[in-house]
Structures are given as structure tokens and as C-alpha cells.
Amino acid sequence: MATLELENLQAEVADTGEEILRGVDLEVKNGEIHALMGPNGSGKSTTAKVIAGHPAYEVTGGSVTLTLSEADVEDIDADIDEADLTWELLDLEPNERAALGIFLGFQYPAEIEGVTMVNFLRQALNAKLDEREELFEDEDDEEAEAEDDSGYDTSPMEGPADDGDVGVAEFQQLLKEKMELLDMDEKFAERYLNAGFSGGEKKQNEVLQAAILEPSIAVLDEIDSGLDIDRLQDVSKGINALRDEQDTGILQITHYQRILDYVEPDHVHVMIDGKIAKSGGAELAEELEDKGYDWVREEVYEAA
């Protein structure tokens, strides 16, 4: 079972030194859905970005550990010891974290004209697979590869250099399967990346990326923001498919309970002032909807 564990995580804004996270403790396992809720400025999005390795934040304490299962690495062509399954993510670059199985779904995805969805997704998948192989290579293998790394990277007789592990035909089939899983129109993939997309379509695209990359843990940062009820249901259906069909662990960051009507969480956490102040089951989200967040803050300060 893959597990993402945050222990006493502390972080500040890199440019200003403003403290945001003040000791976050959280554990998410694959196949679970965790809802992280809280008022504006409580540290929810900062938590997501620190997990992914965003350079705007500097970690000042604590740890972010990803422990993989043997099933997560059974396709790796290398001898992997049990110790190799546990990684301190704070020691790794964002691309390395992604290669190991961390996915961040953005609240405001970028628009890129001229890059089709299908090309972007195939390149992303191949980049993940390449990086993953490198992370698990033995030192001897790395030295041998360095010695052989001279001249052209590929022979002109081997076809296009960007074919990667997953070629065009294979990827087209994979994409078709994933879009069927998420109940998405195949024409969606022919468009430029997020260009001219509605807010709901952008969020659906984030879920599609997660389906293609098959992360162990997907962190979804306010993926429900700005969605009408129809798009909310579409996005929710995709999130449930990630959990049910791919066994992905979900950390769903949200302000509101409404998405949890369609994506039932196993655990709900309330973040106040840079810490997780309260945790519970799905009923906690309903209580927050009725009473707001002030009562949680009062509980915290009374206990202190």
C-alpha cells in the first residue's frame, strides 16, 4: 500500500519569510479519499504545493515521506530492496516526485496554444516513465549509461527521437480507454491544452491527466471551484474513477461540502492557522456546512 505521510511539516513563503504551515501532520494511503477543508489563508493550497515541490515555498521543518508498495514498482527493470520503496520527497525535485507517483491538480491550469492535448499527455507520460527508471537505476547501471552516453542519443534508423516508451499508436489506445473510463468525449483530446476551455473542462482535463499518469497519490487543489452542478458531477465521477478503478489515494482540497455529496471522503480534516485542527469522517464536512469554521477555531484555542 502506497502511503504519503506529512509529519510536523512547516513552511514559509520563500521571498518574504511569512510562516504559513506550522506543523501539519497527515497520512494518505492509496485507495482513500481525504478532504482537506478550512477557511481562506489557512494553508490548504500551500500544503498541496509543498508536497509537489513548488519553489515559492521554503520548508523549515518536518518531513514529507512517500512509501511505495512492491506493486507500484513491479514493472521496474531493476533490483529493488524494501528500503528503496521509501522516499523523503523534500530531497527530490518536482519532476522526481511526480515520477514516483505524486500528482498535483491545479486550481488554475495554464492555457497553452499550439500544443494538443494528446501530444502533451503522451510526452508527460513518457517523461514520467523515463524519470522513474532513472530513480530506481543501480549505481553501476548509471555509470555504464554515462560511459555509453556519447554521440547521438538515438540512431536515425530507430525512428523519431520523441517516440519514448509509449509510442503514438499505443498511447492513442490508452487515451481512448481513459476517456471512456471518465465518460469524456474523444474530441476533447484534439484541442490545444486548455486553450478556450471552460472552467469545468479545465478541471476535467486535470482529472484526465491523473488517469493517464496513474499516480499513487493525487492532490487536487480546489478542483471544484467555479463549477456549475453539471460539471461538478462530471469532475466528481472522474475522481471516483481514479479511486475505484486505479486505487489512487486522493487528497481533495476544498472550501465547500458540495463536492463531497458526489465524492464521499473516508476522512475529513480541518486546517486552521497552518495546522490540522480537527479530523473526522464525512459527517464532519456536513457539520462544517451548517456551522462554519469558527467553532473549530474556538475549540482549538480553548484546548490551548
Side-chain angles (χ1 to χ4, degrees):
M1 180 174 288
T3 303
L4 175 69
E5 183 176 6
L6 282 59
E7 187 172 355
N8 193 30
L9 181 62
Q10 302 160 54
E12 62 187 23
V13 179
D15 289 342
T16 66
E18 178 188 2
E19 186 181 27
I20 305 294
L21 304 184
R22 298 176 171 86
V24 178
D25 294 302
L26 180 65
E27 182 177 278
V28 181
K29 297 179 179 179
N30 66 290
E32 297 179 342
I33 293 181
H34 291 245
L36 182 59
M37 306 180 71
N40 286 329
S42 59
K44 303 184 304 298
S45 291
T46 298
T47 300
K49 292 173 182 176
V50 168
I51 291 171
H54 198 295
Y57 300 94
E58 181 178 345
V59 174
T60 56
S63 62
V64 180
T65 306
L66 177 65
T67 301
L68 302 173
S69 68
E70 292 184 359
D72 293 318
V73 296
E74 61 185 4
D75 61 319
I76 299 292
D77 186 19
D79 293 328
I80 299 175
D81 297 327
E82 185 175 347
D84 297 330
L85 297 176
T86 299
W87 297 77
E88 174 48 66
L89 296 187
L90 299 180
D91 295 334
L92 302 177
E93 296 297 323
N95 57 301
E96 294 173 320
R97 303 182 195 197
L100 287 172
I102 297 295
F103 176 85
L104 174 60
F106 290 102
Q107 184 178 358
Y108 303 108
E111 297 185 13
I112 305 178
E113 288 277 4
V115 177
T116 62
M117 286 277 298
V118 63
N119 284 335
F120 170 79
L121 291 170
R122 188 172 71 87
Q123 293 294 341
L125 177 59
N126 279 326
K128 173 187 174 177
L129 294 175
D130 288 346
E131 186 72 58
R132 195 161 165 265
E133 289 284 350
E134 291 181 13
L135 285 169
F136 284 100
E137 277 182 346
D138 294 330
E139 291 184 8
D140 292 342
D141 293 338
E142 293 175 357
E143 291 173 3
E145 183 177 318
E147 291 174 2
D148 292 340
D149 189 16
S150 59
Y152 294 104
D153 291 334
T154 60
S155 164
M157 301 299 292
E158 294 175 356
D162 67 344
D163 262 0
D165 290 339
V166 181
V168 174
E170 182 183 356
F171 182 77
Q172 290 282 4
Q173 180 59 37
L174 173 65
L175 181 61
K176 180 180 179 180
E177 293 172 1
K178 296 299 185 182
M179 297 191 83
E180 287 177 354
L181 174 67
L182 302 180
D183 197 22
M184 295 176 66
D185 189 333
E186 289 184 38
K187 292 182 179 179
F188 195 80
E190 299 172 4
R191 300 164 66 182
Y192 292 143
L193 182 61
N194 291 323
F197 282 24
S198 68
E201 288 174 330
K202 289 180 180 178
K203 301 303 177 66
Q204 278 188 291
N205 182 28
E206 294 296 285
V207 177
L208 176 60
Q209 289 179 49
I212 292 290
L213 296 174
E214 297 189 351
S216 298
I217 306 293
V219 183
L220 305 177
D221 187 10
E222 297 193 32
I223 202 165
D224 55 330
S225 64
L227 299 185
D228 61 30
I229 190 64
D230 291 329
R231 285 299 183 187
L232 180 65
Q233 291 177 348
D234 291 339
V235 169
S236 299
K237 185 185 299 182
I239 295 171
N240 286 326
L242 293 180
R243 188 266 313 272
D244 297 337
E245 304 298 331
Q246 297 186 177
D247 205 30
T248 299
I250 307 290
L251 178 58
Q252 170 66 59
I253 295 171
T254 183
H255 280 295
Y256 307 109
Q257 191 268 341
R258 63 175 192 155
I259 192 173
L260 305 182
D261 289 336
Y262 307 102
V263 180
E264 184 174 355
D266 300 291
H267 306 276
V268 174
H269 312 280
V270 184
M271 179 168 273
I272 301 287
D273 298 334
K275 290 185 176 182
I276 292 180
K278 192 175 187 65
S279 295
E283 71 282 352
L284 177 56
E286 297 175 0
E287 190 172 5
L288 292 169
E289 184 76 6
D290 292 337
K291 299 166 59 177
Y293 293 107
D294 286 343
W295 67 276
V296 180
R297 182 178 282 107
E298 291 171 3
E299 267 191 13
V300 171
Y301 289 138
E302 285 177 4

